[in-house]
Amino acid sequence: MKLLVVGGSNSRMVAGYTKTMREELERLGSPVSIFTNISLGANTCMLGLASLKELPDGTDYDWIVIEYSVNDYGLFSTGDIDLWRASFEGLIRQAARRWPKARICYVMLSRSNVSAKLGAQ
């Protein structure tokens, strides 16, 4: 399996979800032969879109994992939902266009202060 990860700092953590995801894929009999992680902390899907554009061709990825939910929260809270919508759609469209056979998976993570607020209501 060839896997591409595009996201924020949660996708870069050494002991984070990507480590567990790879281990689980191995356990299920789908070894990851290529693991490309172009994630960069403290950035939104807008940088992900630019980073994806700069990624050279040559690998036909089977899975593309996108994780920006925590960092994109700032776009929501300031009312830039249209900017987020266009950027995120562009990110998915570019990935789908470049790797039409790849499955695209979105990882939804939550900010700890947001989940605490939701739990208190």
Side-chain angles (χ1 to χ4, degrees):
M1 173 182 301
K2 293 170 262 179
L3 182 65
L4 170 64
V5 179
V6 185
S9 61
N10 284 304
S11 296
R12 298 291 316 171
M13 293 179 179
V14 174
Y17 82 89
T18 58
K19 178 181 184 285
T20 305
M21 179 176 62
R22 286 182 76 174
E23 289 170 351
E24 191 63 15
L25 288 168
E26 294 278 338
R27 189 185 71 75
L28 294 171
S30 296
V32 178
S33 59
I34 295 176
F35 180 78
T36 306
N37 190 339
I38 61 170
S39 303
L40 185 60
N43 287 287
T44 66
C45 65
M46 291 184 286
L47 183 67
L49 178 59
S51 297
L52 198 62
K53 186 177 180 181
E54 296 300 316
L55 185 67
D57 289 329
T59 302
D60 289 325
Y61 292 102
D62 300 305
W63 282 89
I64 301 167
V65 177
I66 300 172
E67 174 275 315
Y68 283 107
S69 52
V70 174
N71 294 346
D72 282 355
Y73 177 78
L75 293 173
F76 286 53
S77 64
T78 59
D80 279 336
I81 191 82
D82 290 334
L83 176 61
W84 171 80
R85 188 178 298 137
S87 300
F88 194 75
E89 179 183 352
L91 177 62
I92 292 173
R93 282 182 187 270
Q94 187 178 138
R97 190 176 312 118
R98 287 185 68 184
W99 302 285
K101 295 179 182 175
R103 293 183 180 200
I104 299 172
C105 172
Y106 183 67
V107 174
M108 178 65 79
L109 303 173
S110 173
R111 295 167 48 126
S112 60
N113 63 337
V114 172
S115 60
K117 287 179 186 176
L118 292 174
Q121 292 179 356

